[in-house]
Amino acid sequence: MKRLVLLGGGHAHVHVLDALARTSLPDTEVVLVTPSAQQIYSGMLPGWIAGHYRRDEIAIPLMPLAQRAGVRFVQARGTGLDLDARQLQCDDGKTIDFDLLSIDTGPTTDTGIAGCAEHAIAVRPIDDFVRHIDALIHRAETDPAARLAIVGSGAAGVELAFALRQRLPALPLTLIGASAHPLDGLPGRLQRRARRLLAERHIHWLGPRRAIRIDTDGVTLDNGDTVAATQVLQVTGATAPAWPAQAGLATDTAGFIRVGPTLQSVSHPFVFAAGDVAAYADPRPKSGVFAVRAGPPLADNLRRLVTGQPLAPWHPQRRALYLISTGDERALAAWGPLCAEGGWVWSWKDRIDRAFVARFTHADT
Ligand SMILES: Cc1cc2nc3c(=O)[nH]c(=O)nc-3n(C[C@H](O)[C@H](O)[C@H](O)COP(=O)(O)OP(=O)(O)OC[C@H]3O[C@@H](n4cnc5c(N)ncnc54)[C@H](O)[C@@H]3O)c2cc1C
């Protein structure tokens, strides 16, 4: 009997669990190790903040999914690996032996801004973020001096700004970003449209300015200015966790686990990685789309390895569809250079997102 440990209940692993619920792996015990009993679906998080979804509508409960798959559920966070002994160390002090390990733990938050750990609410871990949001909204509704700054102006920061504006129409809100425009990396037309919408909604866009310190007064910028804020959200993009490189797994220069086209670690073939924590052979942006797309080839290759078949290479699609909600049941879309906007884009996004969660939530879908 071999043991496969699935570390992290991320987008690719929910697919692996779903595949295991359909067909189990022969002679293999599968264990899911993840710190939360649910996977919050980040694509619907801004819609929940804006008031369009209930809290339970944006979460995939992992325990029933694991149960259907015949997978043992261990609620813990992986903190380190001994690759020679094939042992996973967890934050509860326990170790778990494995023959095969698959990692889908997502990214972590950059701790490089002074004071961020003490004075900012980080978007990751998302479970903790969700717990803070109710208190943030309550404070903003009851404290006339409340002012919010969001550090990070990529797609997630912009969506959260629009969602919070929808929920808190009178809250002074500043969006801080180091890039020349919000939605850096997306088509210029979309960036310009986002800037116009930010201005119309009285969301003060402060870019290109790098946040260098966060304290009780607010956010200090690289030009010495301070943005006064009673609460600060940090949405600064994907950073690699430290433990994969510390364990000796081959990583890219940013610390993400380097995998080949079969999703196996290039240094340790008994370790697989997918989603934002992985650096693919053919690099792709960190995005839920690619984490989701990695699920089927990951499930397939884990099965192939266990059953002694040759592994199949995965070639991720070139482009991802970006759907960015603007808080008011409208959304912006980008597919390569093509852009669109409107209520119909939101309806489209809403359908895709609800279907994703439903697929892993209801046994009969
Ligand atoms: C507000 C917001 C909105 C977004 N909207 C979109 C969108 O609309 N479309 C899109 O494509 N992308 C979107 N993204 C990006 C998207 O969230 C990520 O790219 C995606 O979550 C990556 O998936 P993943 O499976 O790699 O990791 P995650 O979804 O982060 O899942 C990681 C899992 O591993 C668990 N875990 C973490 N650390 C450990 C550990 N040490 N040990 C064990 N388990 C661990 C976590 O609890 C979690 O269950 C958004 C991000 C944010 C913040």
Side-chain angles (χ1 to χ4, degrees), residues 88-350:
L88 168 70
Q89 291 125 22
C90 299
D91 60 353
D92 58 5
K94 298 202 174 108
T95 55
I96 299 175
D97 295 337
F98 60 82
D99 299 287
L100 285 174
L101 175 69
S102 177
I103 304 173
D104 178 18
T105 51
T108 180
T109 299
D110 179 13
T111 52
I113 304 174
C116 64
E118 300 83 8
H119 302 291
I121 302 172
V123 75
R124 286 180 187 280
I126 287 185
D127 275 274
D128 294 351
F129 179 74
V130 164
R131 274 193 286 277
H132 280 111
I133 282 292
D134 283 334
L136 181 145
I137 289 173
H138 177 74
R139 181 163 177 200
E141 283 171 342
T142 52
D143 176 4
R147 305 176 74 86
L148 180 68
I150 299 178
V151 179
S153 59
V158 168
E159 271 199 303
L160 289 176
F162 284 133
L164 283 157
R165 168 55 73 236
Q166 179 73 13
R167 187 73 178 265
L168 300 162
L171 178 72
L173 212 170
T174 303
L175 181 65
I176 300 166
S179 58
H181 302 280
L183 301 182
D184 189 33
L186 292 180
R189 227 177 88 206
L190 209 73
Q191 295 179 353
R192 286 191 291 279
R193 184 66 193 129
R195 274 189 78 158
R196 275 203 300 278
L197 282 176
L198 289 169
E200 280 170 24
R201 312 251 170 106
H202 305 288
I203 299 168
H204 189 201
W205 153 247
L206 258 190
R209 280 284 160 247
R210 193 169 286 282
I212 56 166
R213 194 173 64 246
I214 302 173
D215 57 27
T216 46
D217 294 332
V219 184
T220 305
L221 305 176
D222 55 0
N223 63 351
D225 289 354
T226 297
V227 177
T230 53
Q231 300 185 89
V232 179
L233 297 187
Q234 191 188 353
V235 198
T236 41
T239 300
W243 53 265
Q246 283 164 359
L249 281 173
T251 60
D252 69 3
T253 50
F256 295 104
I257 302 166
R258 281 183 58 214
V259 293
T262 58
L263 298 174
Q264 285 167 292
S265 152
V266 296
S267 58
H268 297 78
F270 55 92
V271 177
F272 289 71
D276 281 4
V277 78
Y280 297 124
D282 195 1
R284 292 290 181 275
K286 302 291 177 201
S287 124
V289 172
F290 292 108
V292 168
R293 293 296 173 127
L298 177 64
D300 183 43
N301 274 338
L302 289 170
R303 182 174 304 280
R304 284 170 179 266
L305 194 75
V306 166
T307 55
Q309 297 170 60
L311 274 59
W314 175 53
H315 301 289
Q317 64 194 73
R318 254 276 119 258
R319 283 180 181 161
L321 172 67
Y322 289 91
L323 295 167
I324 293 147
S325 55
T326 52
D328 51 352
E329 295 184 280
R330 295 170 66 82
L332 307 169
W335 171 256
L338 305 175
C339 303
E341 187 202 346
W344 67 271
V345 182
W346 161 261
S347 302
W348 186 24
K349 173 174 167 52
D350 178 53

Side-chain angles (χ1 to χ4, degrees), residues 10-32:
H11 290 70
H13 276 173
V14 291
H15 185 94
V16 173
L17 292 170
D18 188 53
L20 290 173
R22 289 162 208 273
T23 321
S24 60
L25 287 179
D27 304 322
T28 308
E29 182 202 9
V30 187
V31 184
L32 171 66

Side-chain angles (χ1 to χ4, degrees), residues 34-39 62 73 75-76 127:
T34 194
S36 174
Q38 58 177 6
Q39 167 74 350
L62 293 172
F73 182 86
Q75 192 160 353
D127 275 274

